[in-house]
Structure formats: structure tokens, C-alpha cells
């Protein structure tokens, strides 16, 4: 992209098309602060659909659906249990989420924001695979497996919670909305809360998810 070549992009038009936070995400993920990066609307659209919609918003929407009945008020106890002992089918994801905040912080501290974002979205991809493998839409139909259902939903939404906290420097508006949907209070969004099972603590009232997370990132053509 060069002014002398005349192939510049109007940043205000790009923001109108994709939104402020998605443009921030693309620029930091694909170039970063210190490095140059290629830009095209097609590449922004790929990141938008693959990462922000396909991994982040889709995971939240799948697991916050009213049909599955995630009980956020059970998650503090589930988190304590899973920290101590995790089922073999959950242990890989648990260990990944435990290690994730330190990995991302190290990247951010070194100015390697793109690498930090890559770690976050690799974890979200793993959480999406965990959902697919455990089929909560099947578990919900079996009364004797409701405890297992809540564990599966905990892992998915814990991945989203951690990701949203660590994405706040990059997509502050969308991250805040996502944390709202998860019922995460404003005083539970500091980096110190980006630890496995550090959220969902009793807060004096029932935590209830806010509907509509599927509309967090509108569909684009």
C-alpha cells in the first residue's frame, strides 16, 4: 500500500464496512505495532469470519443457548473441582487454558501482539473441538448427564471468558460486550482475573447470561 501508487484504503470506509474493533484486530493480528503487514478487504473478511465469528462468537453462542441451560452459578465450584482433578477428556484443554494467560502476557510484554492473539485463538479452536467432541446438545437430553453437561459448558465459557479479558486491549468494545453476555461484572475484568477458574465467584446475586451474543459480530457478505 503506497500513496505514490495510489492504492491506499480509506480507513473510515473500512471501519464503516467491518467495524472499529474488527479493523483493530486485523491490523494487530496481521501486522502488529512494529511490523508492516499486507492489507486487503478480502483478508479482513477472512479474519472476521474465521476468528471473530467462527471461533469466538460462535463458541459463546453455542454454549450460551437457552436450550443447553448453562448455569453460570455452578461454575465457581466446577472450576475448583477441575483445577484439582480433570477427566482425561478435559485435561488437555484444562492444561492449555491454565498456561494460556502467561503465554499471552509474555507476547504482549514483548510487543508481539500478533503472536499473543494467535495463542488466544488456538485455545478457542481447541475449546470448539472440545464442544464438538462432547456434544452438549446430546447431553442435555439425558437427565443423568446434567452434571457432565455443566462441566462441558464450563470449559467452553471459561475459554471465552479468558479470551475476552485478554482481548480487551485489542477489541475493547466487543470484548466488553462479550463479558456482559457472560455475566462478568465490571470489577472482574482485570488481567488478574485472566486465570483458569478465577472467575464466576459468588457475587451476591445470581449470574445470568444476557441473550443475543450471536449478534455480537453481524454477518457480512
Amino acid at each position: 500500500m503506497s500513496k505514490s501508487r495510489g492504492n491506499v484504503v480509506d480507513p473510515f470506509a473500512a471501519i464503516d464496512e467491518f467495524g472499529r474493533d474488527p479493523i483493530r484486530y486485523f491490523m494487530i493480528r496481521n501486522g502488529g505495532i512494529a511490523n508492516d503487514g499486507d492489507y486487503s478487504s478480502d483478508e479482513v473478511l477472512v479474519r472476521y469470519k474465521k476468528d471473530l465469528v467462527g471461533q469466538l462468537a460462535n463458541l459463546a453462542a453455542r454454549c450460551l443457548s437457552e436450550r443447553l441451560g448453562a448455569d453460570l452459578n455452578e461454575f465457581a465450584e466446577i472450576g475448583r473441582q477441575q483445577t484439582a482433578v480433570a477427566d482425561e477428556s478435559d485435561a488437555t484443554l484444562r492444561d492449555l487454558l491454565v498456561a494460556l494467560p502467561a503465554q499471552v502476557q509474555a507476547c504482549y510484554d514483548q510487543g508481539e501482539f500478533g503472536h499473543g492473539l494467535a495463542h488466544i485463538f488456538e485455545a478457542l479452536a481447541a475449546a470448539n473441538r472440545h464442544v464438538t467432541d462432547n456434544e452438549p446438545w446430546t447431553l442435555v437430553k439425558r437427565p443423568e448427564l446434567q452434571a457432565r453437561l455443566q462441566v462441558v459448558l464450563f470449559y467452553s465459557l471459561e475459554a471465552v471468558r479468558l479470551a475476552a479479558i485478554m482481548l480487551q486491549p485489542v477489541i475493547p468494545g466487543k470484548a466488553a460486550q462479550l463479558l456482559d453476555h457472560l455475566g462478568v461484572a465490571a470489577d472482574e475484568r482485570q488481567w488478574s482475573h485472566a486465570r483458569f477458574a478465577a472467575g464466576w465467584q459468588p457475587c451476591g446475586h445470581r449470574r445470568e447470561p444476557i441473550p443475543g451474543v450471536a449478534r455480537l459480530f453481524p454477518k457480512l457478505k
Side-chain angles (χ1 to χ4, degrees):
M1 187 179 298
S2 167
K3 289 190 291 184
S4 61
R5 295 179 182 176
N7 60 345
V8 296
V9 173
D10 182 344
F12 298 104
I15 290 171
D16 287 342
E17 181 178 2
F18 297 105
R20 186 185 307 274
D21 278 1
I23 291 295
R24 287 170 60 105
Y25 173 75
F26 175 82
M27 298 299 290
I28 295 174
R29 177 73 190 266
N30 281 47
I33 293 177
N35 302 316
D36 292 333
D38 293 329
Y39 179 93
S40 77
S41 294
D42 288 342
E43 291 177 355
V44 176
L45 188 59
V46 168
R47 282 290 183 203
Y48 186 97
K49 290 184 174 181
K50 179 182 177 182
D51 295 354
L52 299 177
V53 175
Q55 297 294 350
L56 180 60
N58 183 56
L59 180 60
R62 293 167 85 186
C63 296
L64 285 176
S65 71
E66 186 174 349
R67 174 170 166 260
L68 294 182
D71 189 347
L72 308 183
N73 302 281
E74 292 188 17
F75 283 5
E77 179 58 28
I78 292 173
R80 283 191 287 272
Q81 294 171 355
Q82 295 302 309
T83 299
V85 180
D87 186 84
E88 184 177 354
S89 62
D90 303 323
T92 298
L93 180 56
R94 181 200 62 182
D95 293 346
L96 190 157
L97 295 177
V98 167
L100 180 64
Q103 293 174 330
V104 175
Q105 182 169 0
C107 292
Y108 282 8
D109 287 347
Q110 296 167 14
E112 297 289 347
F113 293 97
H115 292 159
L117 294 175
H119 283 303
I120 292 171
F121 280 87
E122 286 166 4
L124 289 170
N128 272 292
R129 290 192 296 271
H130 185 264
V131 170
T132 300
D133 291 344
N134 285 277
E135 299 184 344
W137 46 87
T138 300
L139 298 176
V140 74
K141 299 175 183 177
R142 300 179 58 181
E144 74 276 15
L145 295 179
Q146 295 312 292
R148 176 60 188 164
L149 170 65
Q150 293 301 323
V151 170
V152 172
L153 296 176
F154 162 79
Y155 273 104
S156 302
L157 296 176
E158 178 68 349
V160 174
R161 184 189 71 86
L162 291 170
I165 290 174
M166 292 184 287
L167 286 168
Q168 288 178 108
V170 180
I171 52 171
K174 295 298 186 180
Q177 292 176 45
L178 184 51
L179 290 165
D180 288 343
H181 283 292
L182 292 174
V184 177
D187 60 356
E188 299 174 321
R189 303 180 181 189
Q190 302 302 313
W191 193 271
S192 60
H193 296 102
R195 291 181 292 109
F196 180 76
W200 319 108
Q201 300 305 311
C203 56
H205 60 82
R206 283 190 59 80
R207 292 181 187 270
E208 299 292 346
I210 297 177
V213 69
R215 298 189 296 273
L216 185 64
F217 294 98
K219 289 185 178 180
L220 299 176
K221 295 182 179 180

